[in-house]
């Protein structure tokens, strides 16, 4: 099911958009400020982001700018209650794919959402065709393989993107969560620095990336999923984390 993240601190217009999208069969998650939007994005990358311009904690422009540092392909649509040209230009300049005035009609908003989702499908299809025509296609990331242990009571199934506890109960993992667990498992008892984590899995190289704290949110989410094994991801204060075996 297509996953849409909508970030808007105004309940009335936000809830009506959520209801409309859910009626169309989309799975919708809600963030009430820019900080929560970044946290939900880090926990699980959506298929499309609807982003209000004016929000507390971080504005829509700030959220868009931070995500675009490491994610160039996510469809981002800016939502606003006003339609000044300067604001539209600003949003498009920092990487938004479209700009929607909140009081536009439901049919127009849905059409814009579907257009952006369709564009992603088309690009993926073109990349797939191009990959098939290359002599050496690029490997998938992360590489699928056999299950590997993580902690005393968990295993990771990279083929199905799931975390398995001792009773084989499954917890879904995002692509980024799986990649981070694989990296930890391949480097046991080594300190993984925060900046290295961001470079590897978010593609962020600017010092301002530290402000987003997306890495902290992802590690917190992994610990929650690990439950009794959460302490195997040890915090090395001021530096990063270590997978203790």
């Amino acid at each position: 099911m297509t996953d849409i993240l909508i970030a808007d601190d105004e309940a009335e217009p936000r809830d009506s958009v959520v209801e409309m999208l859910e009626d169309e069969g989309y799975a919708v998650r809600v963030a009430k400020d820019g900080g929560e939007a970044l946290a939900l994005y880090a926990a699980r990358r959506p298929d499309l982001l609807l982003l209000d311009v004016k929000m507390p904690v971080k504005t829509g422009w700030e959220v868009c700018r931070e995500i675009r540092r490491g994610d160039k392909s996510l469809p981002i649509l800016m939502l606003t209650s006003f339609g000044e040209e300067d604001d539209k230009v600003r949003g498009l300049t920092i990487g938004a794919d479209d700009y929607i005035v909140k009081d536009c009609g439901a049919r127009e908003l849905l059409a814009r959402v579907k257009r952006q989702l369709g564009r992603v499908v088309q690009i993926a299809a073109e990349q797939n065709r191009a990959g098939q025509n290359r002599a050496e296609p690029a490997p998938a990331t992360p590489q699928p393989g056999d299950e590997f242990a993580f902690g005393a009571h968990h295993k990771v199934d990279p083929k199905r993107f799931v975390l398995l506890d001792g009773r084989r109960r499954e917890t879904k993992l995002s692509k980024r969560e799986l990649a981070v667990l694989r990296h930890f498992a391949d480097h046991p008892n080594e300190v993984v620095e925060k900046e290295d984590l961001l470079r590897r899995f978010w593609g962020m190289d600017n010092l301002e990336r530290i402000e987003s704290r997306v890495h902290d949110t992802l590690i917190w989410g992994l610990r929650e999923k690990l439950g009794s094994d959460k302490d195997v991801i040890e915090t090395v204060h001021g530096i990063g984390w270590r997978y203790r075996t």
Side-chain angles (χ1 to χ4, degrees):
M1 182 180 291
T2 301
D3 178 28
I4 294 178
L5 174 59
I6 178 169
D8 190 346
D9 63 313
E10 296 184 60
E12 186 174 347
R14 181 193 66 224
D15 293 345
S16 63
V17 173
V18 169
E19 182 178 359
M20 177 179 59
L21 292 172
E22 288 179 338
D23 287 344
E24 288 292 315
Y26 298 115
V28 184
R29 290 180 292 153
V30 172
K32 298 176 183 178
D33 59 59
E36 188 178 3
L38 286 170
L40 290 175
Y41 167 82
R44 186 175 77 248
R45 182 186 186 275
D47 297 302
L48 181 141
L49 174 59
L50 284 168
L51 195 57
D52 185 27
V53 169
K54 300 292 186 181
M55 290 187 294
V57 184
K58 286 184 180 291
T59 67
W61 291 310
E62 291 173 315
V63 173
C64 180
R65 188 180 294 110
E66 290 193 24
I67 288 176
R68 276 293 180 250
R69 291 184 186 126
D71 191 335
K72 307 300 183 185
S73 61
L74 175 70
I76 299 178
L77 284 70
M78 305 294 289
L79 294 169
T80 183
S81 55
F82 48 85
E84 286 84 349
E85 184 176 359
D86 288 346
D87 292 298
K88 292 183 179 180
V89 171
R90 180 179 179 184
L92 297 173
T93 299
I94 63 176
D97 296 290
D98 204 350
Y99 208 101
I100 305 174
V101 178
K102 287 183 180 179
D103 59 2
C104 76
R107 292 175 60 188
E108 178 183 349
L109 190 150
L110 284 172
R112 289 174 182 262
V113 167
K114 290 178 179 179
R115 182 179 67 180
Q116 292 300 326
L117 290 171
R119 180 180 63 83
V120 172
V121 172
Q122 181 180 0
I123 291 173
E126 291 173 352
Q127 290 176 340
N128 184 54
R129 286 194 296 269
Q132 291 175 349
N133 293 331
R134 289 196 298 267
E136 296 181 3
T141 303
Q143 288 284 356
D146 295 330
E147 292 179 5
F148 60 91
F150 200 92
H153 308 104
H154 287 80
K155 289 187 176 180
V156 178
D157 183 346
K159 293 181 179 179
R160 298 188 297 125
F161 288 78
V162 294
L163 180 69
L164 303 162
D165 67 11
R167 298 182 180 180
R168 305 290 294 181
R169 291 177 297 194
E170 299 180 358
T171 301
K172 286 291 185 181
L173 296 170
S174 69
K175 183 176 180 180
R176 186 170 283 136
E177 286 175 328
L178 172 59
V180 170
L181 288 177
R182 176 80 270 179
H183 184 72
F184 275 132
D186 289 342
H187 301 82
N189 301 311
E190 295 181 15
V191 176
V192 178
E193 297 185 15
K194 291 183 178 182
E195 292 191 9
D196 183 49
L197 203 69
L198 284 168
R199 278 194 298 268
R200 286 177 179 274
F201 304 113
W202 278 270
M204 298 181 183
D205 286 313
N206 192 293
L207 290 176
E208 292 178 1
R209 64 183 176 270
I210 300 302
E211 297 177 3
S212 69
R213 303 183 67 82
V214 292
H215 42 36
D216 294 315
T217 303
L218 183 137
I219 296 297
W220 178 86
L222 285 174
R223 284 171 170 160
E224 287 292 300
K225 292 180 178 183
L226 285 165
S228 60
D229 277 331
K230 65 181 179 181
D231 291 337
V232 299
I233 302 180
E234 178 184 47
T235 298
V236 182
H237 294 288
I239 301 176
W241 299 274
R242 178 194 296 118
Y243 170 47
R244 291 192 298 105
T245 59

